[in-house]
Amino acid sequence: MLSKDKKAVSVMIGYILLVAIAIVIGVLVFQWMKTYVPTDSLECPDGASLFIQSLNYYSDISVLNLTLKNNGRFDIAGYFIYAGVEGDDLANVDLTSFYNGTGFRLKSGIKISGGEVNSFKTDFERLEEFNLFEQDIAEDIVFVEIVPIRYQEEKGKIRLVSCGNAKVRENVKEIVAIE
Amino acid sequence: MKRRGISPVVATVLLIAIVVVIGLIVFLWFRGMVQESILKFDKNIELVCAEVSFDADYSGGDLSILNLGNVPIYKMKVKIYTEGGHETKNIEDFSDESNNAGWSWSGLNVGGTFSGENSGELNLAEEIFLIPVLLGDSDSGRKSYVCENEEYQIK
């Protein structure tokens, strides 16, 4: 005959187990799902803008001079600069290595000053120079594209951000320096 | 008649052992089905794929790419559609090794440019798509991830 004096876990322990299991499963699912929660992406504010006030290419000495103006609402740190040649829709020649101005060369792009600061202030202008002497691009350069860059704080870290939406394009006007 | 089965203790041990084994089997099977999550910038790399921004152009046998966004592009897949079907190639196949202007091993950094040459194969293509590949971190180390949903048509 089966004994009626059988004991299972108490109701209290049953609840505790249930709650503990639910919490563990909840934590596991949270850890897995939290990476799928969209966070703000790193991007430039809409009002960041650079304007190419003048662009002259002295074809006889292969020097490209341009006057840039920060006509946006935010200070910027510098810019990426690319040149395009005849027949191309996309400027794909990085002019960084030909920079001959007072700023600082990055691996790609020009920074106006040292340090992680946005030193190109709103409404300021600056003259930049690129020396393309004896470069393949010197003969074929047709247009120039500039993308502003700026430093922004992201999760406590300062990061350099490309303002791809504020890209500007200007056709090269050839002139002669020595007549 | 007095019949004896296994003792309650042995039965409990057996039950627990069977549950643990079945649990393990289900866990291993499920883990194989669920893709290992790859993180970049502390979020799932699938979300970062949507932040990739680049310009690309194919003209005169030259393939040019310019990384305009804030996500470094590790590699690029080139999907070429021809009359008979399509094939997918790696961007390295279009690198111009003659002047060391190939695709960098570290990828196309923010603001970086790439220019490659392939006059034959791409000229014959009816459509060309570029698919970015990103590099992220997973439990088993650094892993690349193909952003299948971020195709960019250049022809």
Side-chain angles (χ1 to χ4, degrees):
Chain A
M1 198 176 141
L2 289 172
S3 163
K4 287 187 178 175
D5 190 23
K6 289 170 87 180
K7 282 186 175 176
V9 286
S10 76
V11 175
M12 192 53 76
I13 292 174
Y15 279 130
I16 290 170
L17 275 174
L18 205 67
V19 171
I21 291 167
I23 288 173
V24 168
I25 291 173
V27 167
L28 289 176
V29 171
F30 173 75
Q31 291 294 337
W32 175 57
M33 289 298 287
K34 76 171 179 185
T35 62
Y36 284 92
V37 177
T39 53
D40 289 339
S41 58
L42 189 64
E43 54 186 33
C44 226
D46 278 342
S49 172
L50 258 187
F51 173 61
I52 304 175
Q53 208 156 36
S54 71
L55 190 153
N56 295 310
Y57 180 54
Y58 300 100
S59 53
D60 52 338
I61 54 171
S62 301
V63 168
L64 178 74
N65 274 349
L66 40 105
T67 310
L68 299 175
K69 183 177 182 181
N70 182 355
N71 66 337
R73 290 187 289 115
F74 296 92
D75 300 339
I76 62 168
Y79 55 91
F80 295 130
I81 180 163
Y82 313 97
V85 297
E86 190 79 50
D88 278 355
D89 287 335
L90 185 74
N92 60 5
V93 181
D94 192 344
L95 295 182
T96 303
S97 54
F98 312 126
Y99 183 61
N100 196 27
T102 54
F104 295 82
R105 277 186 215 163
L106 299 169
K107 192 178 173 190
S108 181
I110 310 293
K111 208 167 70 166
I112 303 306
S113 67
E116 293 172 338
V117 284
N118 298 315
S119 49
F120 196 176
K121 303 288 177 193
T122 303
D123 286 331
F124 274 64
E125 291 172 17
R126 59 182 280 127
L127 180 68
E128 300 287 51
E129 185 179 295
F130 293 84
N131 190 349
L132 309 180
F133 186 65
E134 288 189 342
Q135 300 296 329
D136 292 343
I137 185 87
E139 300 284 312
D140 310 315
I141 184 167
V142 173
F143 62 95
V144 169
E145 284 184 349
I146 285 180
V147 177
I149 51 177
R150 68 187 308 270
Y151 283 106
Q152 285 182 196
E153 197 176 328
E154 170 84 2
K155 291 176 186 165
K157 284 184 191 168
I158 302 287
R159 287 188 58 186
L160 194 62
V161 180
S162 162
C163 306
N165 292 335
K167 185 170 77 171
V168 284
R169 182 179 183 139
E170 189 72 32
N171 287 331
V172 168
K173 190 171 66 183
E174 285 190 27
I175 52 175
V176 179
I178 308 156
E179 292 194 9
Chain B
M1 211 167 87
K2 194 175 180 184
R3 298 171 73 186
R4 293 174 72 187
I6 51 173
S7 78
V9 175
V10 174
T12 309
V13 169
L14 269 176
L15 204 67
I16 291 171
I18 291 167
V19 168
V20 167
V21 168
I22 291 173
L24 267 175
I25 290 169
V26 170
F27 174 73
L28 291 173
W29 170 67
F30 192 69
R31 202 173 64 164
M33 282 176 61
V34 176
Q35 204 178 30
E36 186 184 21
S37 67
I38 306 173
L39 303 181
K40 191 171 183 74
F41 305 144
D42 294 333
K43 54 187 163 185
N44 198 291
I45 204 159
E46 285 174 53
L47 297 172
V48 181
C49 278
E51 296 171 20
V52 173
S53 167
F54 64 92
D55 259 0
D57 180 51
Y58 175 71
S59 56
D62 284 334
L63 175 64
S64 306
I65 304 168
L66 171 59
N67 188 356
L68 283 173
N70 289 298
V71 181
I73 301 168
Y74 179 52
K75 284 182 191 298
M76 195 74 87
K77 297 266 179 200
V78 185
K79 207 171 186 178
I80 306 162
Y81 284 86
T82 51
E83 225 170 284
H86 73 86
E87 66 169 327
T88 306
K89 300 194 119 192
N90 292 319
I91 194 72
E92 291 96 321
D93 299 337
F94 302 92
S95 293
D96 186 2
E97 285 167 8
S98 59
N99 62 357
N100 267 343
W103 185 269
S104 165
W105 63 269
S106 60
L108 199 61
N109 288 321
V110 174
T113 60
F114 166 79
S115 188
E117 215 174 319
N118 183 298
S119 50
E121 210 167 357
L122 294 180
N123 266 345
L124 296 172
E126 288 183 349
E127 287 180 327
I128 305 168
F129 290 89
L130 295 179
I131 306 163
V133 180
L134 305 183
L135 192 63
D137 297 305
S138 71
D139 292 339
S140 53
R142 304 216 86 186
K143 275 200 167 177
S144 61
Y145 179 83
V146 183
C147 300
E148 296 282 4
N149 297 327
E150 302 296 326
E151 287 189 344
Y152 183 98
Q153 188 167 11
I154 54 171
K155 186 179 176 185

